[in-house]
Amino acid sequence: MARLDLHLHSTCSDGRHAPAWVIRQAAAHGAELVALSDHDTLAGVEEAREAGEALGVTVVAAVEISVIHEPLGELHVLGYLPARDELDDLELKLAEYRDERLGRARRTLNLLRDLGAPIEEDAVMRHADGGVIGRPHIARALVDAGHVESVQEAFDRYLHNGGPAFVQRSVLSMEESIELIHDSGGFASLAHPTRYRETETSIESFAAAGGDAIEIYYRNDPPDVIANGERLANRLGLAATGGSDFHGIHPDEMPPATVPIPDYAAHRLIDLMKDLAS
Ligand code: AMP
Ligand code: MN
Ligand code: MN
Ligand code: MN
């Protein structure tokens, strides 16, 4: 089993730890190649690269973009990207989404107030600490205010997709996100397809939309689920990616670079990532 992790979050979006900290953890678990994949930002990549260089870990620039698909709802697309100076268009588009997240957070706080769980905007901002604002920051503020016991309870009661305090952001379509990633010279992987209501349909739609890969080695998904993902990927001509989706928020998360990725998949991934860098 090779030690890769192509799905990691930091304080630059909704992770609890700084980019360098995350890379040090990955290195401590023997990682040779990782991708920092914050929501809607590449802001942490430089710090992660510097940390990686000192530790002998290759760090790939990545981003996780939320997309809307009718009728499947919200899906996430991971973009793996070449060197940063080619990414101006992508950065501009991502900046639009970051701005929009603030307005959306305010609408969420209004809903929470009406639901009897008021929290201050400042409390959310303190958790975001300059990073991309997301629902996990609101969840943490709900815990602080004593409205819920845990981040998970905040999602289960209020913030889950379609929940009473959920506000849909206006986001790209699947096709648009793939095009944006391709135009930036990157390749696109459908994040955690096993977490969607219709796993197989979402993967088929992603392939039809021009996507390149699916995230098959996700967290501790069991062997039969992984085998099924590999079969689907083969049938549709998609590559396989994998990672922990580490945020450092929930007590039961797998640490960076601890998801078992079989050697045959890892070798292909390392080749794919090296092509990006060259
Ligand atoms: P946002 O980008 O603001 O829509 O927030 C999405 C993030 O919230 C995801 O990347 C996860 O970190 C977290 N999340 C979404 N749904 C859930 C859920 N049902 N339980 C726990 N965390 C969730
Ligand atoms: Mn997240
Ligand atoms: Mn996701
Ligand atoms: Mn993620």
Side-chain angles (χ1 to χ4, degrees):
M1 297 287 175
R3 296 296 183 197
L4 311 183
D5 196 327
L6 300 182
H7 193 157
L8 296 164
H9 294 274
S10 76
T11 44
C12 291
S13 65
D14 57 2
R16 197 185 285 274
H17 303 287
W21 189 99
V22 176
I23 303 308
R24 281 199 296 276
Q25 285 297 304
H29 289 105
E32 52 183 301
L33 186 142
V34 300
L36 189 72
S37 59
D38 275 307
H39 300 280
D40 292 354
T41 187
L42 294 164
V45 172
E46 215 161 286
E47 179 184 322
R49 280 234 167 96
E50 277 167 23
E53 267 165 34
L55 296 159
V57 181
T58 305
V59 176
V60 175
V63 66
E64 183 172 15
I65 303 175
S66 308
V67 305
I68 276 293
H69 180 277
E70 286 302 334
L72 297 175
E74 185 179 314
L75 310 175
H76 293 175
V77 177
L78 291 159
Y80 295 97
L81 301 154
R84 278 203 71 181
D85 47 2
E86 297 163 37
L87 302 176
D88 290 350
D89 288 350
L90 180 65
E91 292 273 25
L92 275 177
K93 194 77 196 166
L94 295 178
E96 276 177 35
Y97 287 113
R98 294 198 292 268
D99 291 346
E100 205 213 324
R101 280 171 172 273
L102 178 60
R104 182 244 204 166
R106 288 182 175 142
R107 293 203 296 282
T108 306
L109 297 193
N110 287 338
L111 288 174
L112 284 169
R113 195 195 48 228
D114 295 347
L115 290 161
I119 46 174
E120 297 292 330
E121 186 176 315
D122 279 357
V124 178
M125 290 308 180
R126 272 196 301 278
H127 280 296
D129 194 24
V132 176
I133 303 166
R135 280 179 282 165
H137 301 123
I138 298 175
R140 282 151 69 181
L142 281 165
V143 175
D144 291 348
H147 296 307
V148 291
E149 298 272 321
S150 67
V151 165
Q152 193 56 54
E153 189 189 341
F155 272 95
D156 293 345
R157 278 179 64 181
Y158 298 113
L159 298 172
H160 62 272
N161 288 7
F166 175 69
V167 178
Q168 181 65 61
R169 296 189 292 131
S170 85
V171 292
L172 296 171
S173 70
M174 198 146 81
E175 286 79 3
E176 287 168 332
S177 74
I178 293 168
E179 195 178 313
L180 187 62
I181 291 163
H182 284 173
D183 286 351
S184 308
F187 86 93
S189 180
L190 182 64
H192 43 66
T194 55
R195 296 307 190 263
Y196 306 137
R197 222 172 349 154
E198 307 240 10
T199 297
E200 195 154 334
T201 316
S202 66
I203 294 171
E204 282 165 351
S205 307
F206 189 69
D212 306 296
I214 53 175
E215 190 173 48
I216 292 178
Y217 310 104
Y218 186 68
R219 295 188 175 168
N220 53 358
D221 274 358
D224 59 315
V225 168
I226 287 172
N228 193 39
E230 288 178 335
R231 260 195 307 277
L232 264 169
N234 280 340
R235 173 158 73 74
L236 297 166
L238 297 167
T241 67
S244 61
D245 204 357
F246 178 77
H247 285 71
I249 295 176
H250 304 288
D252 55 349
E253 286 180 48
M254 293 179 82
T258 59
V259 173
I261 299 182
D263 283 335
Y264 57 86
H267 290 142
R268 267 184 240 156
L269 275 175
I270 290 170
D271 286 347
L272 268 173
M273 295 295 159
K274 284 199 177 133
D275 281 352
L276 274 184
S278 62

